[in-house]
């Protein structure tokens, strides 16, 4: 059995460890400090349509919504996850069925869905995305575009168990 010697040098080293990692670093497992889950955004669920169909493309296309889906904690890519996408476009407003569609993530957790160009509504250029399959907690995102000239919008989701 190893004896623990409490001397000045050991106490200073232990105190330095606590200062460097904080008390929580001594109490929480290392995996708890991994990738945090994506919180739902205010306004993200506006005009959400439960069960929107999986489609090859929304409307005539020309604009790409892309991103990735990973698991909270370890950041592992999540394949086969359903992502619903909708937006205000020249072909329909975001509350209309023709402006909604869903896609599945590939083996690398990536998704990509072509849709019509996003146009402003109420002065905002934005799209909507939702993860709502049930295996993980539902997340709604409302990413904002930088410019009306953009031809793509990217969003990344980190999901936590439901």
């Amino acid at each position: 059995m190893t004896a623990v010697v409490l001397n000045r040098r050991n106490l200073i080293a232990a105190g330095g460890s606590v200062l460097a990692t904080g008390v929580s670093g001594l109490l929480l497992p290392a995996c708890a400090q991994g990738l945090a889950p994506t919180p739902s955004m205010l306004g993200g669920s506006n005009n959400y349509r439960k069960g929107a169909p999986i489609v090859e493309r929304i409307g005539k296309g020309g604009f790409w919504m892309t991103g990735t889906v990973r698991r909270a904690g370890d950041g592992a890519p999540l394949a086969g996850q359903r992502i619903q996408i909708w937006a205000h476009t020249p072909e329909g407003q975001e509350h209309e069925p023709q402006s909604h569609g869903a896609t599945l993530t590939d083996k690398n957790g990536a998704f990509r869905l072509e849709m019509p160009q996003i146009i402003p509504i109420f002065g905002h250029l934005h799209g909507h995305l939702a993860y709502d399959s049930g295996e993980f907690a539902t997340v709604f995102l409302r990413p904002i575009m930088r410019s009306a000239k953009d031809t793509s919008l990217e969003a990344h989701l980190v999901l936590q168990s439901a």
Side-chain angles (χ1 to χ4, degrees), residues 8-162:
R8 184 173 172 216
R9 179 177 295 166
N10 288 345
L11 287 173
I12 290 171
S17 294
V18 170
L19 287 174
T21 63
V23 175
S24 64
L26 298 175
L27 302 175
L28 298 174
C31 65
Q33 297 175 8
L35 197 57
T38 303
S40 282
M41 297 177 76
L42 290 175
S45 63
N46 291 353
N47 298 304
Y48 166 72
R49 298 177 80 79
K50 186 170 179 65
I54 293 177
V55 297
E56 293 290 319
R57 178 178 68 231
I58 298 172
K60 295 178 183 170
F63 183 92
W64 288 95
M65 184 72 80
T66 64
T68 58
V69 179
R70 298 181 291 160
R71 183 175 50 219
D74 64 6
L78 295 172
Q81 301 303 312
R82 186 178 181 283
I83 303 298
Q84 183 181 152
I85 297 170
W86 68 101
H88 188 75
T89 73
E91 297 178 25
Q93 296 181 8
E94 61 184 47
H95 69 273
E96 297 175 320
Q98 72 268 22
S99 296
H100 291 251
T103 189
L104 298 174
T105 57
D106 66 15
K107 67 181 181 176
N108 299 313
F111 65 88
R112 178 178 161 115
L113 186 62
E114 190 177 14
M115 61 187 294
Q117 178 69 38
I118 294 175
I119 60 174
I121 182 168
F122 306 119
H124 296 271
L125 283 162
H126 65 276
H128 292 266
L129 295 100
Y131 165 81
D132 64 351
S133 296
E135 182 181 352
F136 296 91
T138 299
V139 176
F140 293 101
L141 293 183
R142 187 178 174 260
I144 306 291
M145 293 170 50
R146 292 183 179 165
S147 166
K149 295 178 183 177
D150 291 348
T151 58
S152 65
L153 186 56
E154 189 174 285
H156 303 281
L157 294 98
V158 178
L159 305 178
Q160 67 183 358
S161 296

